[in-house]
Amino acid sequence: MDTHTTVEDLLRSPALQLRVVAGERGLGRSVSWAHVSELDDPTPWLLGAEVIMTTGIGVPRAAAAQRAYLERLDDAGVAALALSAGLHVPPLRRAFLDAAEERGFPVLEVPLAVPFIAIAQEVAAAVQEDARQRLGAQLQVFGALRWLASEGLDTAGLFQRLERLSGYAIHLSTPQGRPLLPGVPAPPPGVRLPASADAPPTIPGGFALPVPAPGGPAGWLVAFERQGARPAGLAVVQHIATVAALRLAMVRSRRETLRRQGAETLAELLQDVLDPETARRRLALMGLLPDVEVVLLVARDAEDDAVVGALGEHPHLMLRRHRDLYVLTPASVITGDAGTGAAPRDPREDGGAGAGEAGAALREIPGIAAGVSRPLPPGSSLRVAQREALWAASRAAESGRPLVTYGEDTTGRWLPDDVGVLAALVEHVLGDALRYDTAHGSDLVASVRTWMERDRRVDDAARALHVHPNTLAYRLRRFGALTGRDLSATGDFAEVWLAIRAASQLGGL
């Protein structure tokens, strides 16, 4: 990794007379240094890509211990183990040799006539040859932030340039393995991230370094050697991790500014005080494009950070109002439906998440009850969408479902959008019963709704209301007398049911 010298290069040197004992598949491993160690575990003092040379004093004798010794070296990124022939090396067990073959970890034999210093000098000469190239790469990485200011590079462009400069393929991820910065991919599936920031930086094929942030690492930078490139070494990768940390701080600062601006814009949209053109212009600045339909989501009893985490890099506006969190975001983010006239979106624009993935993530938030409006064009009045989302959130809370989309209840199709018409329907059918409940502290309307929702099963509804079935039967009769509706008649039943749904849509139940 620090140089282009490989184990195979050392093997080809006639002066060293090395012989492969096992692990021939790993001869292409890069070598950064050669170090003598007689410890049974030298890994705490290693950076990776070293050839460990030993007379065998630290090599254990038991088969299981020998295998564990080799695995420790390989896990720490050691390039190869060089054993001096004929000194203190114990008999090499089959478990040891099998592990070397399985892992492609080269085990070499050094003739007694070849001093370890000869191997060290060979590696040092190769390291010196590449020192100038590594220094130049470091100096150019220092200028990375200047590129941002002078050339207007975005995050993706910046890291593509750093890849060409360093000789590594760069990946950035959160501790959970999701993309850390937009435009920079997360490591491929199967890559094991280090357990802690103190872990050795070397991994098979490259390095894994923490991206520093206040309060602890924000994630990981993983750098793999690119075939045909000249990897510039650990120091350069460390500088790139610092650039990633600075870029992340800039992105988070901008994101927080946009979040405050978005909350102000959403508040004005909910108050219906913005003209459509101004609203569309503001929304476009925040990533909500005019040709992509949006939905209004109301999340009840959910933490802001949990909802933000579910939305990921998807564009959105967010506003907290008491227990309700309002979110305006593209319809495809929640439902997977891009809306009419919307061009298919590149998943990379949304931090790598697929359409509708945020909706699935929202459903996983413990205790959430969220409602989603029907899609609408950006800049449109949110008056109707707000009622729809609140109604859907109430239905979610009632049913115990985490996410309900307006229109899933087919009853809503028979109700008009006009608030005045809905209010008139509620007053005409339920007005006397609602006033009776208010005056007497009774629950006639709630009891009727519970009975209807349970398909008119008196015993089930009574259990849900925690009352005796005779008490519920009395309430049904009293409701019928006050409203003049016979709940056993199909027409009256349908009228009452629609009026109850209308009251729920208005937030009255």
Side-chain angles (χ1 to χ4, degrees):
M1 300 153 193
D2 281 22
T3 79
H4 259 325
T5 299
T6 65
V7 177
E8 189 171 13
D9 292 332
L10 298 178
L11 195 68
R12 288 174 178 169
S13 173
L16 301 182
Q17 305 176 53
L18 301 176
R19 183 179 71 87
V20 180
V21 176
E24 187 171 1
R25 182 165 52 88
L27 294 181
R29 294 188 178 201
S30 296
V31 176
S32 66
W33 199 245
H35 186 71
V36 177
S37 175
E38 303 298 349
L39 299 174
D40 62 350
D41 184 12
T43 58
W45 293 273
L46 303 178
L47 290 177
E50 296 94 347
V51 172
I52 294 299
M53 303 177 290
T54 178
T55 63
I57 295 174
V59 179
R61 292 187 170 274
Q66 280 191 4
R67 184 182 182 104
Y69 171 77
L70 183 142
E71 289 175 344
R72 281 197 301 273
L73 296 180
D74 188 39
D75 290 343
V78 169
L81 176 66
L83 302 169
S84 182
L87 286 180
H88 306 289
V89 179
L92 298 179
R93 307 296 182 181
R94 174 52 54 188
F96 175 89
L97 298 173
D98 287 347
E101 294 294 342
E102 292 165 10
R103 289 174 168 246
F105 180 82
V107 177
L108 310 177
E109 183 183 79
V110 184
L112 190 60
V114 177
F116 284 162
I117 190 65
I119 300 175
Q121 287 175 339
E122 187 89 12
V123 173
V127 170
Q128 186 175 16
E129 183 180 341
D130 274 359
R132 182 176 302 175
Q133 180 259 337
R134 295 198 307 275
L135 178 59
Q138 290 182 42
L139 292 174
Q140 290 185 62
V141 169
F142 284 136
L145 297 182
R146 186 178 70 251
W147 303 336
L148 287 174
S150 63
E151 302 181 31
L153 284 180
D154 60 8
T155 302
L158 170 66
F159 280 89
Q160 286 168 6
R161 185 173 295 187
L162 290 172
E163 283 187 330
R164 292 194 299 270
L165 172 67
S166 66
Y168 294 94
I170 304 297
H171 303 268
L172 289 170
S173 78
T174 65
Q176 294 76 35
R178 298 182 61 185
L180 182 64
L181 282 173
V184 183
V191 174
R192 293 181 60 184
L193 297 174
S196 73
D198 298 325
T202 304
I203 61 173
F207 298 108
L209 298 173
V211 177
W220 295 93
L221 182 147
V222 178
F224 291 116
E225 293 182 9
R226 290 191 294 112
Q227 189 172 4
R230 298 187 65 189
L234 177 59
V236 166
V237 177
Q238 289 171 328
H239 295 321
I240 294 175
T242 301
V243 172
L246 293 172
R247 183 59 178 161
L248 181 63
M250 294 165 62
V251 168
R252 286 180 170 177
S253 176
R254 180 175 179 272
R255 194 175 290 165
E256 183 58 33
T257 299
L258 288 176
R259 186 174 178 179
R260 289 196 299 269
Q261 294 173 349
E264 294 171 2
T265 297
L266 184 52
E268 292 177 301
L269 288 170
L270 291 171
Q271 295 166 16
D272 214 10
V273 297
L274 287 180
D275 65 88
E277 184 56 37
T278 300
R280 282 192 290 270
R281 187 169 60 251
R282 287 205 203 170
L283 293 177
L285 290 173
M286 297 174 193
L288 299 177
L289 304 178
D291 60 345
V292 178
E293 290 189 327
V294 296
V295 291
L296 183 67
L297 176 139
V298 173
R300 190 159 291 168
D301 299 327
E303 296 293 332
D304 294 19
D305 289 344
V307 175
V308 169
L311 293 169
E313 296 296 331
H314 296 291
H316 62 270
L317 277 62
M318 185 175 291
L319 175 68
R320 166 67 67 179
R321 282 186 171 177
H322 307 296
R323 63 182 294 202
D324 291 337
L325 186 65
Y326 288 76
V327 179
L328 190 69
T329 193
S332 60
V333 168
I334 305 299
T335 65
D337 180 7
T340 58
R345 293 179 63 83
D346 185 336
R348 290 172 295 182
E349 297 177 13
D350 293 324
E357 184 176 319
L362 286 167
R363 290 181 173 88
E364 299 300 321
I365 298 176
I368 192 174
V372 185
S373 73
R374 290 176 294 180
L376 68 157
S380 304
S381 171
L382 296 183
R383 192 179 306 167
V384 173
Q386 183 176 3
R387 291 200 308 272
E388 293 175 352
L390 286 169
W391 177 85
S394 296
R395 289 292 295 160
E398 292 167 4
S399 63
R401 296 166 59 190
L403 185 67
V404 169
T405 301
Y406 183 85
E408 291 179 3
D409 183 345
T410 55
T411 303
R413 300 176 185 176
W414 299 99
L415 297 173
D417 292 333
D418 188 278
V419 177
V421 175
L422 291 174
L425 173 62
V426 173
E427 170 59 29
H428 177 66
V429 179
L430 304 177
D432 290 339
L434 289 169
R435 281 186 286 275
Y436 183 90
D437 280 345
T438 301
H440 296 85
S442 56
D443 295 307
L444 297 182
V445 177
S447 297
V448 170
R449 184 183 72 174
T450 302
W451 173 70
M452 288 181 162
E453 288 175 342
R454 283 156 179 77
D455 298 326
R456 291 167 284 181
R457 293 190 292 268
V458 173
D459 290 344
D460 288 352
R463 280 194 295 271
L465 292 165
H466 305 291
V467 299
H468 193 276
N470 291 341
T471 302
L472 176 57
Y474 165 77
R475 291 179 181 179
L476 297 177
R477 291 194 300 272
R478 185 63 179 145
F479 175 89
L482 286 169
T483 61
R485 266 71 178 179
D486 180 1
L487 294 177
S488 64
T490 301
D492 286 356
F493 181 93
E495 188 179 26
V496 170
W497 176 241
L498 287 173
I500 286 175
R501 302 315 315 153
S504 295
Q505 189 165 322
L506 292 171
L509 290 179

